[in-house]
Amino acid sequence: SSLAVAMDGDSTQTAKRAHDDAIDGVASLLFEVARGAPGSIHSKKGLIVLKALSECLLAGLRNSKSANDVIELRKAEAIYEVASAVLYKLRGHVVRGSRDGPVAAFDDVFACIHRALEEAIVAVKESSASGFVLGHIIDLETETMEFQDGRLVSDVD
């Protein structure tokens, strides 16, 4: 009846809120690790975080048995959400107007994302796996490139 529908709607909203809180919590933790000292981005730790996230996305691509692998799709979606939130927090942390320090660290960040994209392209070409992970990596690269009209990207090989 209508009470059951209302209760089901509440549980759906509760589950979504719990999902969003979990994504934000993990992203905040990883951001703090990547950020390092207050007011800067620790490029080595930041790269380790991003490499780990990239590797998790690529593992989803490698583990996907078909284009319709719902479990791997959901894992990749969650990892993408975390990676996107971490990058969003890092971009927001960048000191405005400077090309050194935190902004220069994004050269390495962008290179890491670009390498993941190249690996994903090869993996999709060599297997029958879906390109959903490839799309997520493209989104991460695009988000980084478009930030303040490309201010964080110096050169792309």
Side-chain angles (χ1 to χ4, degrees):
S1 70
S2 60
L3 179 58
V5 171
M7 289 177 64
D8 186 44
D10 288 345
S11 65
T12 302
Q13 287 179 338
T14 301
K16 175 155 178 32
R17 189 175 19 233
H19 170 83
D20 292 347
D21 288 348
I23 296 294
D24 187 55
V26 171
S28 293
L29 174 65
L30 294 176
F31 163 71
E32 291 299 330
V33 169
R35 182 179 71 131
S40 67
I41 294 176
H42 193 287
S43 61
K44 289 190 190 299
K45 288 181 184 177
L47 283 179
I48 290 170
V49 168
L50 288 171
K51 284 179 185 177
L53 289 169
S54 297
E55 195 52 43
C56 288
L57 274 172
L58 291 171
L61 184 64
R62 292 182 202 113
N63 294 338
S64 179
K65 294 170 184 53
S66 75
N68 298 321
D69 193 336
V70 175
I71 293 172
E72 292 302 324
L73 174 65
R74 288 187 178 155
K75 286 180 191 176
E77 185 66 29
I79 294 165
Y80 163 73
E81 288 178 39
V82 169
S84 180
V86 169
L87 285 170
Y88 176 82
K89 290 172 186 293
L90 286 173
R91 289 189 304 265
H93 184 68
V94 171
V95 176
R96 309 261 186 242
S98 171
R99 261 306 299 162
D100 45 349
V103 178
F106 265 85
D107 290 342
D108 293 333
V109 168
F110 185 75
C112 178
I113 297 169
H114 196 71
R115 276 191 302 276
L117 177 61
E118 290 170 345
E119 288 181 43
I121 290 170
V122 170
V124 168
K125 285 181 179 179
E126 292 178 353
S127 72
S128 62
S130 168
F132 62 84
V133 170
L134 181 62
H136 288 322
I137 296 171
I138 290 170
D139 289 343
L140 293 173
E141 190 169 48
T142 302
E143 291 168 12
T144 303
M145 290 174 67
E146 290 179 347
F147 179 74
Q148 293 187 351
D149 297 323
R151 188 168 80 71
L152 297 179
V153 181
S154 58
D155 290 320
V156 179
D157 294 330

